[in-house]
Amino acid sequence: MKEERTWGTENLMDMETRMQNLLWTVCGDYAAEADIDIQTFQKSRYIAYYDVIRQGMFRKYFDTAAFDAFITQKVYQGASPSVLLALARLCIDSAVHEKAAAERKGVASIRQKAFADTLEKDAMRLTHTDWGYLEACYLRRILYNETADSGIEPLLDKICSLSHTDSVEEICRRTEEIYRIAYEKGFAQYFKGLPHHVKTADKNQKEYTDKQTADEVDDTSEEEHFISIFSGHVDAQDNGQRPHSSVVQLDRQSSAHLKEYIELNYGTSCLTPLEHKVFQEQMCRGIHRDCLLHVTKGVLHSGLKANAKSQYVQKIKEENLRIYQKNLTVTRQNIQMLANTLKRALLTRTDPEIYSSDYGNICVHKLWNVGRTDNTHLFQRQVTQDNLDFTVEVLIDASGSQQRRQSLVALQGYIISEALSIVRIPHRVIGFCTFGAYTVLTEYRDYEDGREANEHIFEFYGSANNRDGLAVKAAADSLDKQPQENKILIVLSDGRPNDIIAANLKKQENHPQKEPYCLDFAVKDTASEIRKLRNRNIAVLGVFAGEEEDLPAEKKIFGKDFAYIHDISVFAHVVGRYLEKKLLPFS
């Protein structure tokens, strides 16, 4: 039972020292620093011990600097860091466990206990994503010699085949190979929206392979690295160093068919050509001048024939609804709690307020001021606020980094929308992501839609990149056009604006972007757009749905008006407190 005790500061410091000593003992490098996760140790000491042992053995037998350079390069080229690292850990484990067990007899037992605890205590994580499921299958194969289904078993064979390797290059190649199969092209091939074929402008439909795409690229092109939307392949540098160009380019062929690809994977535009032209000219200026906008209702509401993408979105919707049903009680409690908070605030606005004024009902006791002072406020005036003079826009980050928590994010959006519907506050809910030159705005429900439209929010899923500054600017444009005086924008994001995949368009060749839209550059742009909205009296609340490491960026973007939701059960309380403050009269 000692493992379940609450760790104080001294215990945690002792634990860090012990874990650091363990790493030094295993790898023999006393300059090495252990990557220690205190929460993991509190969850299971065996998981924490084995994680440090695995780190130490990898440092001892492999070139970690080369491996770090590989990970950095792939992330820079657009790979999802969380997925890539999760798959890399499995490959590293396979490569080091026999070496560790041969050196230290107790390692095999610790590994078995760590894997068993992982299956038990990380069950939610292992069942929520496809790469988590792959990890679970790997753990079960090691523990119980279980056979996975036909789609997973070949991937496990590839991972386990690394058990006798001495080459970090082989670990890197295998990690990349499994990433492409499991994440981009295999059972989760549509997570990032990269199908293998797309209709060309011709009447015929052409299917592209990696080889065909490579053959058709212009040999004289000056692009050093590119990505194809047909193959999902990123051309890597041979030297394993960070690319020289500022962004990852789509190849010319992909860029030529980008609009058709966007419509096929995200749905057709819901704006008329004239509306779209005006909207884009107004929004895509400054650092966004080379960008394009695409506003859609989604693939399930675009009148397109059923295709693989629509089937995928339907599958995602069913999964999100399953999570909703599983958390039905707490979700309904949150909806009702938030709705009650809003109702109280709106009722308060209907209470009459009495003010001194220079007209209205005369106050006899103030008549002595006549001829004696300059005070003209000799009257009283009763004012009643309009309790329905509000409108809300809910903007949801739908980039690939949201995939592993997309059901939770969909629940958050649904809770807000349901509560606003109950109190009849007009609102719109949209998701945004960016691929190539296009920032896609998917409208789940519009201001005038009925409550039944809220269920469309469960079609939310994460894909591609995110240009937050442009999305915020576009969302505020619709708020500005609403007749209500009081406007509120709620942004559900992970605090990580990132858009480094660019289309190869003539417009962009004439005005090349000087700096990639990521890191501090993107954070400053998004924060600037938020400040502009507040200066126009649009209240903005940031709801953080990301990793703790991105909290500083979230604070830079939203300032003091942001909420970090650790637990869905307190979601209504935190968001309701902010909305109540904005709804109360003269707050």
Side-chain angles (χ1 to χ4, degrees):
M1 296 300 292
K2 290 182 180 179
E3 185 180 339
E4 298 179 2
R5 67 185 172 180
T6 301
W7 289 80
T9 305
E10 273 189 42
N11 299 109
L12 293 177
M13 292 178 63
D14 291 343
M15 179 270 292
E16 289 183 0
T17 302
R18 288 161 54 196
M19 302 292 273
Q20 184 66 63
N21 289 336
L22 176 60
L23 178 74
W24 289 340
T25 302
V26 171
C27 71
D29 179 6
Y30 290 91
E33 292 187 7
D35 182 12
I36 301 170
D37 185 346
I38 296 175
Q39 291 182 343
T40 298
F41 193 89
Q42 291 174 313
K43 180 167 52 181
S44 166
R45 60 181 178 180
Y46 294 111
I47 296 176
Y49 286 152
Y50 185 65
D51 185 47
V52 172
I53 291 170
R54 183 165 50 206
Q55 291 179 44
M57 295 304 294
F58 188 55
R59 286 178 178 273
K60 183 173 183 178
Y61 287 99
F62 297 94
D63 185 351
T64 55
F67 181 78
D68 289 343
F70 159 77
I71 294 294
T72 299
Q73 180 191 22
K74 292 305 167 188
V75 171
Y76 189 78
Q77 292 174 337
S80 173
S82 58
V83 184
L84 191 65
L85 289 172
L87 298 177
R89 277 193 296 271
L90 301 183
C91 293
I92 290 171
D93 177 76
S94 179
V96 304
H97 81 275
E98 289 191 3
K99 296 177 176 64
E103 282 193 14
R104 304 178 183 280
K105 295 182 180 180
V107 169
S109 175
I110 293 174
R111 183 177 185 242
Q112 293 280 321
K113 291 176 180 177
F115 283 9
D117 282 356
T118 301
L119 284 173
E120 176 187 351
K121 299 182 180 184
D122 281 346
M124 180 63 181
R125 178 178 65 82
L126 297 177
T127 56
H128 193 57
T129 61
D130 284 326
W131 51 94
Y133 177 63
L134 177 63
E135 180 183 347
C137 291
Y138 175 78
L139 299 181
R140 292 192 185 96
R141 172 186 272 208
I142 302 302
L143 288 174
Y144 315 120
N145 200 27
E146 283 188 12
T147 302
D149 60 57
S150 58
I152 302 295
E153 196 66 19
L155 299 178
L156 298 180
D157 291 339
K158 290 179 183 295
I159 295 171
C160 293
S161 67
L162 291 168
S163 58
H164 300 293
T165 188
D166 293 317
S167 168
V168 72
E169 289 79 10
E170 187 175 354
I171 294 175
C172 293
R173 284 195 300 270
R174 193 59 50 81
T175 299
E176 183 177 11
E177 179 184 4
I178 293 170
Y179 179 90
R180 288 180 180 172
I181 296 172
Y183 185 66
E184 290 181 351
K185 296 183 180 179
F187 51 86
Q189 64 180 340
Y190 293 102
F191 261 110
K192 295 186 82 174
L194 296 172
H196 299 295
H197 59 82
V198 65
K199 279 189 175 182
T200 66
D202 302 328
K203 293 182 179 179
N204 300 325
Q205 184 169 346
K206 182 176 181 180
E207 187 161 325
Y208 293 86
T209 64
D210 289 350
K211 183 177 184 303
Q212 287 172 322
T213 303
D215 290 342
E216 294 177 10
V217 173
D218 185 358
D219 293 335
T220 63
S221 172
E222 295 180 357
E223 298 164 16
E224 295 182 1
H225 3 265
F226 58 86
I227 181 172
S228 168
I229 62 176
F230 306 116
S231 68
H233 172 67
V234 178
D235 186 33
Q237 298 254 347
D238 293 336
N239 58 14
Q241 300 301 313
R242 179 177 173 142
H244 297 297
S245 63
S246 58
V247 295
V248 178
Q249 293 281 341
L250 288 178
D251 62 18
R252 294 186 184 278
Q253 185 182 53
S254 299
S255 298
H257 298 291
L258 187 55
K259 181 179 180 181
E260 186 177 356
Y261 167 81
I262 292 294
E263 291 180 345
L264 183 68
N265 285 273
Y266 296 100
T268 56
S269 175
C270 59
L271 300 180
T272 66
L274 179 59
E275 289 173 336
H276 177 265
K277 181 181 179 181
V278 172
F279 183 50
Q280 186 160 288
E281 288 178 351
Q282 291 176 343
M283 297 297 106
C284 299
R285 298 178 178 179
I287 65 171
H288 308 299
R289 64 182 177 274
D290 297 328
C291 299
L292 301 170
L293 287 167
H294 183 74
V295 185
T296 177
K297 295 284 187 179
V299 293
L300 299 185
H301 309 281
S302 294
L304 298 172
K305 291 183 179 180
N307 56 24
K309 187 66 178 189
S310 62
Q311 292 172 5
Y312 169 73
V313 175
Q314 186 61 45
K315 178 183 175 183
I316 288 294
K317 182 177 181 180
E318 291 170 0
E319 171 64 13
N320 289 341
L321 284 170
R322 186 185 68 80
I323 298 297
Y324 163 64
Q325 290 295 332
K326 188 175 180 180
N327 297 275
L328 186 61
T329 301
V330 69
T331 301
R332 286 181 173 175
Q333 288 173 346
N334 271 268
I335 292 170
Q336 198 57 54
M337 188 184 305
L338 182 54
N340 290 340
T341 299
L342 298 178
K343 284 179 181 177
R344 287 195 299 270
L346 292 174
L347 284 174
T348 302
R349 290 184 63 84
T350 62
D351 293 339
E353 299 282 343
I354 299 176
Y355 301 95
S356 295
S357 178
D358 53 4
Y359 69 93
N361 297 322
I362 192 168
C363 299
V364 177
H365 65 280
K366 292 184 176 183
L367 292 178
W368 66 269
N369 287 273
V370 178
R372 294 184 175 87
T373 70
D374 294 331
N375 183 15
T376 60
H377 289 183
L378 310 178
F379 304 85
Q380 283 185 343
R381 187 163 62 94
Q382 181 173 299
V383 178
T384 302
Q385 299 289 324
D386 183 355
N387 68 329
L388 292 179
D389 195 26
F390 284 88
T391 187
V392 177
E393 180 109 1
V394 182
L395 181 64
I396 308 177
D397 174 6
S399 63
S401 59
Q402 298 283 51
Q403 287 170 5
R404 62 178 177 171
R405 49 181 170 265
Q406 59 194 15
S407 294
L408 176 62
V409 176
L411 269 182
Q412 292 176 344
Y414 181 74
I415 289 170
I416 295 174
S417 188
E418 278 286 282
L420 292 172
S421 295
I422 289 173
V423 297
R424 298 182 179 179
I425 291 180
H427 63 287
R428 185 170 80 142
V429 182
I430 57 174
F432 72 94
C433 67
T434 302
F435 187 84
Y438 280 90
T439 290
V440 181
L441 302 174
T442 303
E443 188 178 90
Y444 301 113
R445 64 153 290 145
D446 203 356
Y447 296 104
E448 305 303 324
D449 287 344
R451 187 174 174 181
E452 65 280 357
N454 294 340
E455 190 172 304
H456 296 164
I457 298 171
F458 290 115
E459 295 165 18
F460 169 84
Y461 68 97
S463 70
N465 295 313
N466 52 308
R467 184 171 280 259
D468 292 38
L470 179 56
V472 167
K473 186 178 180 181
D477 180 70
S478 68
L479 268 177
D480 281 332
K481 295 175 181 176
Q482 299 309 303
Q484 291 81 8
E485 180 180 354
N486 302 285
K487 299 174 173 64
I488 301 173
L489 175 65
I490 301 175
V491 184
L492 277 62
S493 72
D494 62 359
R496 191 189 298 175
N498 180 56
D499 177 27
I500 60 171
I501 298 180
N504 193 343
L505 303 176
K506 291 182 179 179
K507 185 179 179 183
Q508 291 175 324
E509 290 173 353
N510 295 332
H511 303 283
Q513 184 174 306
K514 295 181 180 180
E515 192 168 352
Y517 196 85
C518 59
L519 304 176
D520 286 343
F521 179 76
V523 169
K524 288 178 181 177
D525 173 63
T526 308
S528 174
E529 292 297 337
I530 296 297
R531 286 195 298 272
K532 290 176 184 177
L533 301 191
R534 288 174 174 157
N535 289 338
R536 282 153 44 193
N537 292 323
I538 295 178
V540 183
L541 170 67
V543 178
F544 183 62
E547 306 296 339
E548 286 193 23
E549 63 192 42
D550 296 316
L551 267 174
E554 185 82 355
K555 291 178 181 178
K556 288 181 181 178
I557 292 172
F558 294 101
K560 63 179 181 178
D561 286 334
F562 86 98
Y564 183 20
I565 311 297
H566 297 271
D567 188 342
I568 190 66
S569 63
V570 300
F571 179 79
H573 174 71
V574 175
V575 176
R577 188 170 54 189
Y578 175 84
L579 292 177
E580 183 178 33
K581 183 174 68 173
K582 296 302 178 184
L583 292 177
L584 287 175
F586 310 106
S587 59

